[in-house]
Short mmCIF file of all heavy atoms in Angstrom, two decimals:
data_model
loop_
_atom_site.label_atom_id
_atom_site.label_comp_id
_atom_site.label_asym_id
_atom_site.label_seq_id
_atom_site.Cartn_x
_atom_site.Cartn_y
_atom_site.Cartn_z
N ALA A 1 0.81 -1.22 0.00
CA ALA A 1 0.00 0.00 0.00
C ALA A 1 0.84 1.27 0.00
O ALA A 1 0.32 2.36 -0.28
CB ALA A 1 -0.94 0.01 1.21
N CYS A 2 2.14 1.16 0.31
CA CYS A 2 2.92 2.38 0.54
C CYS A 2 3.06 3.25 -0.71
O CYS A 2 3.08 4.48 -0.62
CB CYS A 2 4.27 2.06 1.15
SG CYS A 2 5.47 1.26 0.06
N LEU A 3 3.16 2.64 -1.89
CA LEU A 3 3.33 3.45 -3.10
C LEU A 3 2.09 4.26 -3.45
O LEU A 3 2.19 5.47 -3.69
CB LEU A 3 3.76 2.57 -4.27
CG LEU A 3 5.21 2.09 -4.25
CD1 LEU A 3 5.48 1.17 -5.44
CD2 LEU A 3 6.19 3.26 -4.25
N PRO A 4 0.88 3.67 -3.51
CA PRO A 4 -0.28 4.52 -3.79
C PRO A 4 -0.58 5.50 -2.66
O PRO A 4 -1.10 6.59 -2.91
CB PRO A 4 -1.43 3.52 -3.97
CG PRO A 4 -1.00 2.30 -3.24
CD PRO A 4 0.50 2.24 -3.44
N MET A 5 -0.23 5.14 -1.42
CA MET A 5 -0.39 6.09 -0.32
C MET A 5 0.54 7.27 -0.48
O MET A 5 0.16 8.43 -0.27
CB MET A 5 -0.14 5.39 1.02
CG MET A 5 -1.21 4.37 1.39
SD MET A 5 -0.79 3.40 2.87
CE MET A 5 -0.94 4.66 4.15
N ALA A 6 1.79 7.00 -0.89
CA ALA A 6 2.75 8.09 -1.12
C ALA A 6 2.34 8.94 -2.31
O ALA A 6 2.50 10.16 -2.30
CB ALA A 6 4.15 7.51 -1.33
N LEU A 7 1.80 8.30 -3.35
CA LEU A 7 1.34 9.05 -4.52
C LEU A 7 0.19 9.97 -4.15
O LEU A 7 0.17 11.15 -4.53
CB LEU A 7 0.89 8.06 -5.61
CG LEU A 7 0.38 8.68 -6.91
CD1 LEU A 7 1.51 9.38 -7.66
CD2 LEU A 7 -0.26 7.61 -7.80
N ASP A 8 -0.76 9.45 -3.40
CA ASP A 8 -1.89 10.26 -2.96
C ASP A 8 -1.42 11.41 -2.07
O ASP A 8 -1.87 12.55 -2.20
CB ASP A 8 -2.88 9.37 -2.21
CG ASP A 8 -4.11 10.13 -1.73
OD1 ASP A 8 -4.76 10.80 -2.56
OD2 ASP A 8 -4.43 10.06 -0.53
N ASP A 9 -0.49 11.11 -1.17
CA ASP A 9 0.03 12.13 -0.27
C ASP A 9 0.78 13.22 -1.04
O ASP A 9 0.66 14.40 -0.72
CB ASP A 9 0.96 11.47 0.75
CG ASP A 9 1.28 12.37 1.92
OD1 ASP A 9 0.36 12.65 2.72
OD2 ASP A 9 2.44 12.81 2.04
N ALA A 10 1.54 12.81 -2.06
CA ALA A 10 2.26 13.80 -2.86
C ALA A 10 1.29 14.71 -3.61
O ALA A 10 1.51 15.92 -3.72
CB ALA A 10 3.18 13.08 -3.86
N ALA A 11 0.20 14.13 -4.11
CA ALA A 11 -0.80 14.94 -4.81
C ALA A 11 -1.44 15.94 -3.85
O ALA A 11 -1.62 17.12 -4.19
CB ALA A 11 -1.87 14.03 -5.43
N ARG A 12 -1.76 15.49 -2.64
CA ARG A 12 -2.37 16.37 -1.65
C ARG A 12 -1.42 17.50 -1.24
O ARG A 12 -1.85 18.60 -0.91
CB ARG A 12 -2.76 15.57 -0.42
CG ARG A 12 -3.87 14.57 -0.67
CD ARG A 12 -4.13 13.72 0.58
NE ARG A 12 -5.04 12.65 0.25
CZ ARG A 12 -6.36 12.80 0.19
NH1 ARG A 12 -6.90 13.97 0.43
NH2 ARG A 12 -7.13 11.77 -0.13
N ALA A 13 -0.13 17.19 -1.24
CA ALA A 13 0.87 18.18 -0.84
C ALA A 13 1.22 19.15 -1.96
O ALA A 13 2.06 20.02 -1.79
CB ALA A 13 2.14 17.46 -0.36
N GLY A 14 0.59 18.98 -3.13
CA GLY A 14 0.84 19.88 -4.26
C GLY A 14 2.15 19.61 -4.97
O GLY A 14 2.69 20.50 -5.64
N ARG A 15 2.66 18.37 -4.87
CA ARG A 15 3.95 18.07 -5.47
C ARG A 15 3.84 17.55 -6.90
O ARG A 15 4.86 17.32 -7.54
CB ARG A 15 4.69 17.03 -4.62
CG ARG A 15 5.03 17.50 -3.21
CD ARG A 15 6.16 16.68 -2.62
NE ARG A 15 7.40 16.86 -3.37
CZ ARG A 15 8.54 16.23 -3.07
NH1 ARG A 15 8.57 15.37 -2.05
NH2 ARG A 15 9.64 16.43 -3.77
N LEU A 16 2.63 17.36 -7.39
CA LEU A 16 2.44 16.81 -8.73
C LEU A 16 1.75 17.83 -9.63
O LEU A 16 0.77 18.46 -9.22
CB LEU A 16 1.61 15.52 -8.67
CG LEU A 16 2.34 14.32 -8.05
CD1 LEU A 16 1.36 13.20 -7.77
CD2 LEU A 16 3.44 13.85 -8.98
N HIS A 17 2.26 17.95 -10.86
CA HIS A 17 1.73 18.92 -11.81
C HIS A 17 1.60 18.25 -13.18
O HIS A 17 2.34 17.30 -13.49
CB HIS A 17 2.66 20.13 -11.91
CG HIS A 17 3.01 20.73 -10.58
ND1 HIS A 17 4.13 20.32 -9.86
CD2 HIS A 17 2.38 21.66 -9.83
CE1 HIS A 17 4.16 21.01 -8.72
NE2 HIS A 17 3.12 21.82 -8.69
N PRO A 18 0.68 18.72 -14.00
CA PRO A 18 0.51 18.12 -15.34
C PRO A 18 1.84 18.08 -16.09
O PRO A 18 2.57 19.07 -16.14
CB PRO A 18 -0.49 19.05 -16.01
CG PRO A 18 -1.29 19.63 -14.88
CD PRO A 18 -0.31 19.80 -13.76
N GLY A 19 2.14 16.92 -16.66
CA GLY A 19 3.37 16.75 -17.41
C GLY A 19 4.51 16.18 -16.61
O GLY A 19 5.54 15.78 -17.19
N ASP A 20 4.38 16.11 -15.28
CA ASP A 20 5.46 15.57 -14.45
C ASP A 20 5.69 14.09 -14.78
O ASP A 20 4.75 13.32 -14.96
CB ASP A 20 5.12 15.69 -12.97
CG ASP A 20 5.39 17.07 -12.41
OD1 ASP A 20 5.87 17.94 -13.17
OD2 ASP A 20 5.10 17.30 -11.21
N LEU A 21 6.97 13.72 -14.80
CA LEU A 21 7.35 12.32 -14.97
C LEU A 21 7.56 11.72 -13.58
O LEU A 21 8.37 12.21 -12.80
CB LEU A 21 8.63 12.21 -15.79
CG LEU A 21 9.19 10.80 -16.02
CD1 LEU A 21 8.18 9.91 -16.75
CD2 LEU A 21 10.50 10.86 -16.80
N VAL A 22 6.80 10.67 -13.28
CA VAL A 22 6.83 10.02 -11.97
C VAL A 22 7.27 8.58 -12.15
O VAL A 22 6.80 7.88 -13.05
CB VAL A 22 5.44 10.07 -11.31
CG1 VAL A 22 5.49 9.43 -9.92
CG2 VAL A 22 4.91 11.49 -11.23
N VAL A 23 8.17 8.13 -11.28
CA VAL A 23 8.61 6.74 -11.31
C VAL A 23 8.35 6.11 -9.94
O VAL A 23 8.79 6.63 -8.91
CB VAL A 23 10.10 6.62 -11.67
CG1 VAL A 23 10.56 5.16 -11.57
CG2 VAL A 23 10.36 7.15 -13.08
N LEU A 24 7.61 4.99 -9.95
CA LEU A 24 7.29 4.26 -8.74
C LEU A 24 8.00 2.91 -8.77
O LEU A 24 7.91 2.19 -9.76
CB LEU A 24 5.78 3.99 -8.63
CG LEU A 24 4.80 5.16 -8.76
CD1 LEU A 24 4.40 5.35 -10.20
CD2 LEU A 24 3.55 4.88 -7.93
N THR A 25 8.68 2.57 -7.69
CA THR A 25 9.40 1.30 -7.62
C THR A 25 9.09 0.62 -6.30
O THR A 25 9.26 1.22 -5.23
CB THR A 25 10.91 1.52 -7.75
OG1 THR A 25 11.19 2.25 -8.95
CG2 THR A 25 11.65 0.19 -7.78
N GLY A 26 8.64 -0.63 -6.38
CA GLY A 26 8.33 -1.39 -5.19
C GLY A 26 9.06 -2.72 -5.18
O GLY A 26 9.28 -3.33 -6.23
N SER A 27 9.45 -3.17 -3.99
CA SER A 27 10.09 -4.48 -3.87
C SER A 27 9.75 -5.08 -2.53
O SER A 27 9.44 -4.36 -1.57
CB SER A 27 11.61 -4.36 -4.03
OG SER A 27 12.17 -3.57 -3.00
#
């Protein structure tokens, strides 16, 4: 759950903008 939680949290914090390149890595 940590990756979608971090993605949601980043969006709420205003860290994501249209056109941003995002890389998610889980292991």
Side-chain angles (χ1 to χ4, degrees):
C2 71
L3 286 178
M5 291 173 70
L7 180 68
D8 181 54
D9 194 68
R12 293 175 188 279
R15 297 201 64 181
L16 289 168
H17 309 91
D20 280 358
L21 178 59
V22 182
V23 175
L24 308 90
T25 305
S27 63

